[in-house]
Structures are given as C-alpha cells and as structure tokens.
Amino acid sequence: MLLQHYTTHRIPSGRTGNMELTTFIWLAFAPILMIIVSTKIARQRTRTRRSLPPPPVATGVPLLGILPALLAKGPLQVIRDAHAEMGSVFMVILLRRKVTFLVGPEVSSHFYQGLDSEISQDEVSQFTIPTFGPGVAFDVDFATRRGQFRFFGDAMKPAKLRTYASLMVHEVEEHFARWGQSGTVNLKQELEHLVTLVASRCLFGEDVRSKMLGEVATHLRELNDGMSLVTILFPHLPIPAHRRRDRARARLGELFSDIVRSRKASCTSESGGRNAQVDDMLQCLIDSRYKDGRGTTETEVVGMLVSALFAGQHTSSSTGTWTGARLLERDNAGHLRAAVREQERILARHGDRVDYEVLQEMETLHCCVKETLRLHPPAMVLLRHARRSFVVRTREGEEYEVPEGCTVATPLVVHHRLPYVYGDPERYEPGRFGVPGRGPDDEAGDGAGAFAYTAFGSGRHACIGEAFAYMQIKVIWSHLLRNFEMEMVSPFPETDWNVVMPGPKGKVMVSYKRRLLSAGA
Ligand code: HEM
C-alpha cells in the first residue's frame, strides 16, 4: 500500500524526480539493509561468544558429583580446594545440577548487577518458601516481591531509623540491667534473645514484643535450624528439622495473624482505616499499597513479618556474637582498647546520650563490626540462576562463557579472604576499613574495585536492612563496652557449617564485671 501511494502520486519527471526516486529507494531499503547488517553483527558476536570455553569442571563421582566430597570435607573446604586448583571461575556438578562458582570482584559484576530476566533468584530460592510462607518472597511473582521489598525499604528510611535508635537503646539498657555485678553468661544465647526483642520492639511495636518473651524466639530458631544445606536440594524432605520448621511456621502464622487482625480492628473508619497513633513497621505493612493501588492482605502481612524477623534475627545476633568473640580474643586486645577509647571520647562529647547521630560517630566500632562480617558473613554463599549465558573475564584475562540454565554461586567466605584484595586476610584488622578517602567502590582500598566487600550483597539485591543491623549491633556493643569488663572463658568458637546461614557453634562463654567508663579526652 505504501509503495503504491508513492508510485502513483509522488514521483515527478526530470532531475528532481530522479533525486526523489533515489531518496525513495534509500528510504524503502535502508531498514532492510540495517536488519541485514545487524543480523550479521549479532551472528558474528554469537560466533565469538560460542568460541569461548565453559568454566573448568571439578571432578566428582558419576551421578552424585561432588556430594561425597561435600559430606566428607564440608562445603567450605570443597570450595576452597576447587578455587585453589581451578582459579576464580569453576563449575561443580552436584546431583546432576551444574553450579558455577565465581570468586573475586572482577568476575562478580553480572552476578550482582545483571537484570533479573537474565540472572535471577527465583529458581534457586524456592527452598525458602516453606520458611517464609505463602504470599511473600519467592512464592509470588517478581513485581509483587519488588513491591513487598519496597515496603520494607520505606520502613528503613533514616527518619524511621532515628525512632528505632531510641527504642533499641531502651530495650538494650533494660536487658543488661538484669545482669548482676559480675557473672558468666553464654553470650550467644544472650544476644539471640536480645536481638529478637529489639527487632520485634522496633519493627512490630508493643503488640508483638509482649508475645516475644514467650515462644516467638524459639520458633525463629526452629526456622533457622530447618534451613540446612539439604534443604536447598530437597526443601520438603520429611526429616525432623523440616517437620519442626513447618510446625514453627504454622504457629508463627497463627500468632501474627491474631496481631494483624487486632491491629486492623483498632483502625478507625474516620482515619481512613489507618491507625494514626502507631508508627511501627507492622502499621507500615498494613497501610502499604502496591503500584496498582491494591492493599496488602493478612496472609502477606504475616509472611512479611516472618520474613523480616528471619532476615534480621539470626544474621544480626550471630554478627553480634562474632564481634564479641573477635574483640575478646587475646590477640585483639589492642582493637578492644581502641573501641573502648572511642566510647570514652564519645562520652566526653555527648555524655551518656546514645541516639542515631551519636551512633554515626562510632567509627571504630563500625569498622570492628564490618571486619567481623568480612571474616564471618552470615550468608555463606549467594545464589542465582543463569537464565541466559554470560561471559566473565578473570583477573588473569581468561574468558569463560557461563552456560544458560546453570546455578551461579558466589561464596562470600572465600571471596572475603582473597589475599590480593585483603592483605593478610586471615587477620582480624578493623583498621583496614578505617583509611579516610576510601570510597564504596574501593572498599578494600587496594583498587580491587566494586564487589570486594559483599557481606550485605550488592547491586540489584543489596540488603535493605544493613543500616538497621549496624545500628542494632552498635547499640548493644557500645553499651557492653561502657558498662562491663569482659573476658571470653571458652575457646574461640568454631563455625556451624551445617545451616545455610552459619553462625558460631556451641556456647560462647563470657565472664563480666560491671564498670562505669569515664569520659576521656
Ligand atoms: C548483619 C545483618 C544482615 C546481613 C549480614 C544481611 C545480608 C544480606 C545479604 C548478603 C543480602 C543479599 C542476598 C542476595 O544477593 O542474594 C541481603 C538481602 C536482603 N536483606 Fe539482609 N542482612 C542483614 C540484616 C537484614 C535485616 C535486619 C533486614 C530487615 C528486615 C534484612 C532484609 C533483607 C532483604 C529484604 C533483602 C532482599 C533484598 C532484595 O533482594 O532486593 N536484612 N541481606
């Protein structure tokens, strides 16, 4: 039709007519030419990419792959051995599943920054559904999940964090007031309990907190214990830990549904169904709206409460305990002294006031926690699924094509101990983060670039609760440093590698004696 229109009406005779004819031919054929050229370029690119080798594969047993090695040596050793043998990009086969490991900042950018349509969390996170429950996280489509994470993000803005800081201080003071003049405690158990109380107080208000003392903390522990390495492969395997997990999730569902219902009932119709008096995360979640204007359902709010508690509870309490274990290690007496001196200086400046602004000044303590997280990241390995193949280039200049359809893993436990990123990587050295001028793109300060430090993830799925977690741990440890002399009386804890989020294994026994720190210059 278009061609007919031009031939009938637009082509006059003579020179001008010839020019118009030429223009017309160009206009008509240019798109076709462009398509031909771009198809050729695309084919050329595909050919170049196809010629790249896949990552080297670690040898394993037929059918089982590396499973026997995993059971014999544990995940950390298997990953370390494969990394030492094959370098920063390698593949292992686990029960016929291909898992490509990427170690080091140079090969991590697509993992953290790639589009979800190309490298996604969905396929590898289905095992979390029995823990988080229906209607949330990986039980829902991408858009709904992004909406739900936005609701969390709104509840973690600085204005809200300011309110949480004073609630945290109050809860921490109340908890440690129960300690005697001197004594011995299991620090791990103490902090597990305290972190649950603090999180529930800040995020869900008085309603949930009053129930916390009873059974919620126990159920959260059961959820964590029910997420072992076996769970990733067989989330519904009928083992006792999974049965306990399912019972715990069902009970938390009942408890939180009651709370949501009674909170909703207290919302008056004059306030548009909103509770104007309450300003906690529970209320935020109840009031939140998805982009299409839909409100949250009771099941979703309950699921989000469980998810937020689960995401923050074990991660923060184990980081609090590891921070203590590191600072109380004999070799680290100098770092402990530096952290105490910082508290003396802050006392001199602000008296015993601890709030959001004062917490920002605790840089030495911040670096102590950050260095703890480098050595003991609660998320041992982060996972994705390659929906499309992609190319990675190692530090040595080798290129590999990570195949479509495989699982992609970044093991933080190895990644954070690379000697070319962190000098003397096994040493606890909070000062490595304290050099002024180091930007977020050069966390390690040696030019290794972005993705060198990923305790809170990075890029598209970076942790939403990072600032909250730091605040909470700093409130706890500033209080302990100011009010107690402490000594670790059990050996330095080993790591419990059996769970997905490894923490300190066994008891962490600490003796304490009360003191009152005086303000220093
Ligand atoms: C020391 C404490 C914490 C650590 C070490 C930690 C670590 C992480 C890591 C590594 C990720 C990225 C996961 C990935 O890329 O696959 C993540 C994501 C996330 N974290 Fe945390 N987290 C902590 C505390 C919290 C708290 C207190 C909350 C608050 C509710 C929270 C909520 C989340 C959420 C919602 C995501 C998903 C973000 C997304 O996918 O867009 N975390 N966290």
Side-chain angles (χ1 to χ4, degrees):
M1 278 295 289
L2 188 69
L3 194 65
Q4 199 182 31
H5 171 85
Y6 269 95
T7 37
T8 342
H9 302 287
R10 297 290 310 274
I11 306 175
S13 58
R15 203 163 158 259
T16 331
N18 282 342
M19 272 180 66
E20 285 208 11
L21 183 65
T22 317
T23 314
F24 158 74
I25 291 168
W26 269 111
L27 280 174
F29 289 103
I32 300 167
L33 265 175
M34 275 168 67
I35 290 168
I36 294 168
V37 171
S38 53
T39 314
K40 280 212 162 213
I41 292 172
R43 278 211 191 118
Q44 187 70 35
R45 275 201 195 135
T46 320
R47 229 176 278 141
T48 323
R49 286 184 55 178
R50 273 211 195 109
S51 64
L52 289 174
V57 183
T59 45
V61 176
L63 295 177
L64 297 176
I66 58 150
L67 187 64
L70 268 183
L71 295 173
K73 296 200 256 177
L76 181 61
Q77 202 50 47
V78 170
I79 299 169
R80 276 191 176 154
D81 289 351
H83 176 235
E85 191 190 324
M86 286 178 286
S88 55
V89 181
F90 58 90
M91 187 187 277
V92 301
I93 313 286
L94 181 58
L95 298 176
R96 295 188 165 183
R97 212 186 266 204
K98 289 178 180 169
V99 186
T100 298
F101 278 84
L102 304 175
V103 185
E106 308 76 21
V107 290
S108 297
S109 84
H110 187 68
F111 183 95
Y112 289 111
Q113 289 186 315
L115 293 172
D116 287 82
S117 55
E118 299 190 356
I119 182 160
S120 86
Q121 292 180 312
D122 285 66
E123 294 84 343
V124 289
S125 304
Q126 297 297 307
F127 72 94
T128 62
I129 295 176
T131 307
F132 295 148
V136 287
F138 297 95
D139 187 48
V140 294
D141 61 77
F142 181 69
T144 311
R145 185 161 67 249
R146 290 322 297 166
Q148 294 173 349
F149 287 171
R150 178 168 56 81
F151 306 155
F152 282 137
D154 289 345
M156 296 288 174
K157 289 197 170 137
K160 297 266 180 200
L161 290 178
R162 281 193 168 79
T163 321
Y164 301 149
S166 58
L167 297 174
M168 285 175 182
V169 171
H170 179 75
E171 202 71 42
V172 166
E173 283 175 355
E174 211 171 79
H175 180 83
F176 290 120
R178 288 190 214 107
W179 282 16
Q181 279 305 312
S182 63
T184 304
V185 290
N186 178 1
L187 187 67
K188 182 173 133 182
Q189 195 183 29
E190 288 287 313
L191 296 195
E192 257 176 25
H193 186 69
L194 178 55
V195 162
T196 315
L197 288 178
V198 171
S200 55
R201 180 72 187 85
C202 296
L203 305 181
F204 315 125
E206 231 4 268
D207 329 19
V208 179
R209 190 219 171 276
S210 56
K211 301 217 175 197
M212 280 292 149
L213 288 168
E215 46 177 323
V216 175
T218 312
H219 295 324
L220 281 176
R221 198 172 321 115
E222 286 164 341
L223 287 189
N224 190 55
D225 293 346
M227 203 185 260
S228 61
L229 298 180
V230 150
T231 314
I232 299 181
L233 296 169
F234 309 108
H236 297 287
L237 195 71
I239 53 174
H242 287 169
R243 277 199 283 269
R244 279 195 295 277
R245 169 201 67 192
D246 295 343
R247 275 199 300 271
R249 178 60 184 81
R251 184 68 191 126
L252 283 175
E254 282 165 19
L255 284 172
F256 290 172
S257 291
D258 283 352
I259 290 160
V260 175
R261 251 179 259 134
S262 71
R263 178 66 74 84
K264 279 192 171 177
S266 70
C267 302
T268 58
S269 52
E270 300 91 72
S271 62
R274 287 168 186 244
N275 191 330
Q277 273 93 54
V278 198
D279 191 23
D280 54 25
M281 191 179 192
L282 171 59
Q283 197 58 42
C284 266
L285 297 178
I286 290 175
D287 295 340
S288 292
R289 306 229 150 249
Y290 292 96
K291 283 213 167 114
D292 61 5
R294 176 173 80 79
T296 49
T297 65
E298 184 181 305
T299 307
E300 288 171 341
V301 174
V302 168
M304 285 189 274
L305 293 178
V306 174
S307 313
L309 266 180
F310 184 84
Q313 202 275 345
H314 180 74
T315 47
S316 301
S317 80
S318 77
T319 305
T321 306
W322 282 122
T323 302
R326 282 294 180 180
L327 285 176
L328 301 177
E329 229 183 345
R330 198 151 298 156
D331 291 351
N332 294 329
H335 299 309
L336 178 65
R337 252 195 318 277
V340 171
R341 278 210 205 102
E342 178 181 64
Q343 292 304 317
E344 289 171 343
R345 285 195 302 274
I346 290 176
L347 274 166
R349 267 202 299 272
H350 301 289
D352 59 6
R353 175 168 69 90
V354 176
D355 58 19
Y356 180 78
E357 274 71 29
V358 173
L359 287 165
Q360 306 305 309
E361 289 184 30
M362 297 181 187
E363 285 173 13
T364 305
L365 184 54
H366 191 95
C367 291
C368 291
V369 179
K370 185 168 181 175
E371 175 71 341
T372 300
L373 276 163
R374 179 181 73 80
L375 291 168
H376 308 283
M380 166 171 80
V381 176
L382 304 180
L383 297 174
R384 300 285 188 271
H385 174 83
R387 288 187 171 170
R388 295 215 183 132
S389 66
F390 61 96
V391 174
V392 286
R393 189 182 161 89
T394 68
R395 212 169 146 243
E396 295 75 25
E398 287 149 353
E399 286 190 320
Y400 298 105
E401 179 162 4
V402 179
E404 178 182 318
C406 75
T407 299
V408 190
T410 171
L412 302 198
V413 270
V414 181
H415 181 91
H416 276 176
R417 292 175 190 232
L418 294 170
Y420 67 88
V421 180
Y422 297 102
D424 200 357
E426 300 301 323
R427 193 159 56 92
Y428 182 73
E429 182 48 72
R432 67 173 89 240
F433 294 114
V435 179
R438 279 181 186 171
D441 281 346
D442 190 12
E443 295 270 13
D446 73 339
F451 318 119
Y453 184 87
T454 50
F456 291 94
S458 188
R460 286 183 193 278
H461 296 285
C463 179
I464 291 164
E466 176 175 350
F468 182 91
Y470 267 116
M471 249 177 46
Q472 185 173 20
I473 297 162
K474 281 159 77 177
V475 169
I476 293 172
W477 272 100
S478 59
H479 185 90
L480 286 171
L481 294 172
R482 287 172 183 207
N483 293 284
F484 300 95
E485 268 173 47
M486 303 177 85
E487 194 186 332
M488 188 160 59
V489 292
S490 55
F492 188 80
E494 286 177 22
T495 304
D496 181 1
W497 294 113
N498 286 324
V499 280
V500 170
M501 291 199 283
K505 192 176 186 176
K507 293 180 179 173
V508 181
M509 299 307 294
V510 165
S511 71
Y512 66 83
K513 211 159 51 175
R514 272 192 190 275
R515 71 161 165 213
L516 205 54
L517 209 62
S518 48

